[in-house]
Amino acid sequence: MEAGPLPSWNDGAARAAILDFVARVTEEGGPGFVPAADRVAVVDNDGTLWCEKPAYTQVLFLQEQLAAKARQDPELAGDPIVAALLEGDLATATAGGPGPVAAALLGLHEGLTVEEFGDAVAAWFGAAEHPRFGVGPDRLAYVPMVELLGHLRAHGFGVFIVTGGGVEFVRAVSDRIYGVAPDDVVGSAVEVDFARRGDRVVLVRTARLRGSPNEGEPKAINIQAHIGRRPILAIGNSAGDREMLEYATTGDRPSLGLVIDHDDAEREYAYAGVAMTEPGAEPITTIAAARGWTVVSMRDDWARVFATP
Amino acid sequence: MEAGPLPSWNDGAARAAILDFVARVTEEGGPGFVPAADRVAVVDNDGTLWCEKPAYTQVLFLQEQLAAKARQDPELAGDPIVAALLEGDLATATAGGPGPVAAALLGLHEGLTVEEFGDAVAAWFGAAEHPRFGVGPDRLAYVPMVELLGHLRAHGFGVFIVTGGGVEFVRAVSDRIYGVAPDDVVGSAVEVDFARRGDRVVLVRTARLRGSPNEGEPKAINIQAHIGRRPILAIGNSAGDREMLEYATTGDRPSLGLVIDHDDAEREYAYAGVAMTEPGAEPITTIAAARGWTVVSMRDDWARVFATP
């Protein structure tokens, strides 16, 4: 028997909702038909496409980079914020608010060209190991989601990653892991300076954020800025994805909102989908029920989670 | 005989430089090979892809929209800046600097959703006529350039428009005219506000620019922000494209810079490629000679200019 689409998804309401939606919007002449040019899918990254526990992959990267830099620089190592960060003591590190921590982390790659930063990320991925699963964090993409991105592309969708993470961090691996080109990644960013070095023009990272972090309302706003069309499919796993999902599912076209519920402590983790910046906010699964979005149970809807055992 | 590539280009140094460059970067195993993922081409719009005289197409649009609004609104019509603008008296309109003019024009579409703005642009293109050529401005794309974009795409290039014009203005027609999807257009932009109207989320245009106009250094910076890779081919026609061309042509890869020289008063216009914002600056054709960029003479290198007679 030929394998059907989405082989790593169990039969159930979530898989059916996805297949039905894709069939509906691609049926020429049908009541739900959407031209390919308007088949835009936006997908969160951390916790939606890859594992985000025990910490965001980018945080693991920054911790390692900070430790490496502190080993070279006693003054940096003696900074109480940095010392607390390196001990994993977030309470002390953030006692004065998130500003000093952000400054310490944003300053890590100040002065690097964008190419040098991409090389640093790629090198880190080549050596890093996830603390629980013991494999590179780039091997902890969710197989069912990678299949879903392929299914969407095979049906004429443009697939964009819309992440709260750093856009250049995700771009360094998005094509290899997800088949998503760098220009199809929308994320948080730092400002870069235009500079001449000898005969060459380079773009140099600063320690300043470019606009707001790409979470909440900025996700919807940056989708328009970058993609220029209202999506018809949005997928997320935290309250920081709420506005993006609302934007995608309240246009004139048929639409689908999907929410990944992390309810699988055995194969991955079990936790509520709150936003990093608003831990007290309503979990996205509660909002999904009110909004008619489809909740994907990692435990029940996914036959497998990772490609590695 | 089968038609060769770029049929609307005359044989000459410019056509040869283009064909040689494309052949070189696509020859697998060759010394200049560039993988498809890194074949990024960035192309200016006004004066590079379509006619920008006697005024930018977007200025023609804004003049018409301002006139229409002033007919409905006597108070607006009585504003001395607006009155001067409508009479084409730029000297009076800008006597107090460009700020009041920009405010009057940016305010025109404040409060529209992004979809409503796109509809307004599309409607204008459906009725507008170019003052000299008597056809819609969307029919004044340069045929040789449209051929070139197709040739690049056929050889694995990603083709992006990088315009000083408004990104949403160009997106409204970029796919139809150039085959460039809305998400592959980078331009100047206004801020939009996230808003709820009943059950719907909408994005509403403000009168505030988002960052700097997309000219000069910001073109290079926004290429990185949006595309995430250094281009290997850049095409422009004014000093506002200089930094983008420098960025594209000073990387590690083989690269090509192309500059369109408007030297054809008979079929189009003859003028120097200076930047709107710095009319006293060096023309881009002078810079091209020093930088080794290829200058395309509209008069000599193009067998035809427009698709319409």
Side-chain angles (χ1 to χ4, degrees):
Chain A
M1 203 180 86
E2 197 186 358
L6 307 184
S8 300
W9 291 69
N10 292 322
D11 277 334
R15 182 172 181 274
I18 293 167
L19 294 177
D20 289 352
F21 175 72
V22 172
R24 184 175 171 220
V25 299
T26 54
E27 187 198 348
E28 285 201 51
F33 180 70
V34 176
D38 291 323
R39 287 179 214 150
V40 171
V42 290
V43 189
D44 172 55
N45 186 40
D46 292 301
T48 298
L49 288 175
W50 71 14
C51 181
E52 65 178 348
K53 296 291 179 187
Y56 294 125
T57 304
Q58 191 169 1
V59 170
L60 302 176
F61 166 70
L62 292 172
Q63 283 174 335
E64 187 275 341
Q65 298 274 292
L66 187 62
K69 198 169 180 183
R71 283 194 294 272
Q72 309 285 329
D73 180 349
E75 195 180 333
L76 183 71
D79 179 295
I81 303 277
V82 170
L85 276 177
L86 290 176
E87 284 162 20
D89 180 1
L90 273 181
T92 300
T94 58
V101 172
L105 297 179
L106 284 169
L108 270 175
H109 301 101
E110 189 179 0
L112 292 192
T113 67
V114 293
E115 285 104 340
E116 289 164 349
F117 179 77
D119 291 345
V121 174
W124 178 79
F125 271 105
E129 282 190 10
H130 186 274
R132 171 173 162 194
F133 297 111
V135 298
D138 50 336
R139 297 177 70 193
L140 295 176
Y142 305 132
V143 173
M145 292 303 294
V146 175
E147 287 173 2
L148 174 53
L149 303 191
H151 184 69
L152 293 171
R153 279 190 288 259
H155 289 81
F157 278 77
V159 174
F160 298 84
I161 293 176
V162 180
T163 176
V167 64
E168 304 295 359
F169 182 79
V170 176
R171 280 173 171 166
V173 292
S174 63
D175 194 13
R176 176 165 61 85
I177 302 180
Y178 307 122
V180 173
D183 50 291
D184 294 337
V185 181
V186 182
S188 302
V190 299
E191 299 273 4
V192 299
D193 286 335
F194 182 97
R196 290 190 167 84
R197 290 191 182 163
D199 279 348
R200 301 184 66 145
V201 163
V202 291
L203 300 178
V204 179
R205 289 174 67 93
T206 72
R208 306 184 305 275
L209 267 185
R210 180 178 163 111
S212 309
N214 192 40
E215 283 284 311
E217 293 184 2
K219 279 204 174 186
I221 289 167
N222 290 329
I223 284 168
Q224 180 60 31
H226 195 104
I227 305 173
R229 285 161 288 171
R230 189 192 285 253
I232 62 168
L233 170 57
I235 317 178
N237 80 301
S238 85
D241 301 314
R242 173 188 181 141
E243 288 80 2
M244 168 174 91
L245 278 142
E246 288 182 311
Y247 183 52
T249 57
T250 61
D252 291 329
R253 306 281 198 186
S255 61
L256 180 67
L258 286 180
V259 169
I260 310 299
D261 186 10
H262 291 265
D263 57 358
D264 192 337
E266 194 177 323
R267 295 186 301 176
E268 204 235 18
Y269 294 93
Y271 58 97
V274 295
M276 176 180 62
T277 46
E278 281 186 90
E282 218 174 0
I284 190 79
T285 43
T286 309
I287 302 164
R291 285 281 183 174
W293 301 332
T294 296
V295 175
V296 175
S297 160
M298 181 174 279
R299 184 187 58 211
D300 299 333
D301 289 313
W302 288 359
R304 61 197 299 214
V305 177
F306 301 123
T308 50
Chain B
M1 203 181 87
E2 198 186 357
L6 307 184
S8 300
W9 291 69
N10 292 324
D11 278 335
R15 181 171 182 276
I18 293 167
L19 294 177
D20 289 352
F21 175 72
V22 171
R24 184 174 171 219
V25 299
T26 54
E27 187 199 347
E28 284 200 51
F33 180 70
V34 176
D38 291 323
R39 287 180 215 149
V40 171
V42 290
V43 189
D44 172 55
N45 186 40
D46 292 301
T48 298
L49 288 176
W50 71 15
C51 181
E52 65 178 348
K53 296 292 178 185
Y56 294 125
T57 305
Q58 191 170 1
V59 170
L60 301 177
F61 166 70
L62 292 172
Q63 284 174 333
E64 187 275 341
Q65 298 274 293
L66 187 63
K69 198 167 178 183
R71 283 194 294 273
Q72 310 284 329
D73 181 349
E75 195 180 334
L76 182 71
D79 179 294
I81 303 277
V82 170
L85 276 176
L86 291 177
E87 283 162 21
D89 179 0
L90 273 181
T92 300
T94 58
V101 172
L105 298 179
L106 284 169
L108 270 175
H109 301 101
E110 189 179 0
L112 292 192
T113 67
V114 293
E115 285 105 340
E116 288 164 348
F117 179 76
D119 291 345
V121 174
W124 179 79
F125 270 105
E129 283 190 10
H130 186 274
R132 172 173 162 195
F133 297 111
V135 299
D138 49 337
R139 296 177 70 192
L140 295 176
Y142 305 131
V143 172
M145 292 304 295
V146 174
E147 288 173 1
L148 175 53
L149 303 191
H151 185 69
L152 293 171
R153 278 189 289 257
H155 289 81
F157 278 77
V159 174
F160 297 84
I161 293 176
V162 180
T163 176
V167 64
E168 303 296 0
F169 182 77
V170 176
R171 280 172 170 166
V173 292
S174 63
D175 193 13
R176 176 165 60 84
I177 302 180
Y178 307 122
V180 173
D183 50 293
D184 294 337
V185 181
V186 182
S188 302
V190 299
E191 299 273 4
V192 298
D193 287 334
F194 182 97
R196 290 190 167 85
R197 291 191 181 162
D199 279 347
R200 301 185 67 146
V201 163
V202 290
L203 300 178
V204 179
R205 288 174 68 92
T206 72
R208 305 184 305 274
L209 267 184
R210 179 178 164 111
S212 308
N214 192 39
E215 283 284 309
E217 294 184 2
K219 279 204 174 184
I221 289 167
N222 290 329
I223 284 168
Q224 181 60 32
H226 195 106
I227 305 173
R229 285 161 288 171
R230 189 192 285 253
I232 62 168
L233 171 58
I235 317 178
N237 80 301
S238 86
D241 300 315
R242 173 190 180 139
E243 288 80 2
M244 166 174 94
L245 278 142
E246 288 182 313
Y247 183 52
T249 57
T250 61
D252 292 329
R253 305 281 198 187
S255 61
L256 180 67
L258 286 180
V259 169
I260 311 298
D261 186 11
H262 291 266
D263 57 358
D264 193 336
E266 195 177 321
R267 295 186 299 176
E268 203 235 16
Y269 294 92
Y271 59 98
V274 294
M276 176 179 62
T277 46
E278 280 185 89
E282 217 174 2
I284 190 78
T285 43
T286 310
I287 302 164
R291 285 281 182 176
W293 301 332
T294 296
V295 175
V296 176
S297 160
M298 181 174 277
R299 185 188 57 212
D300 299 334
D301 288 314
W302 288 359
R304 64 197 296 215
V305 177
F306 301 123
T308 50

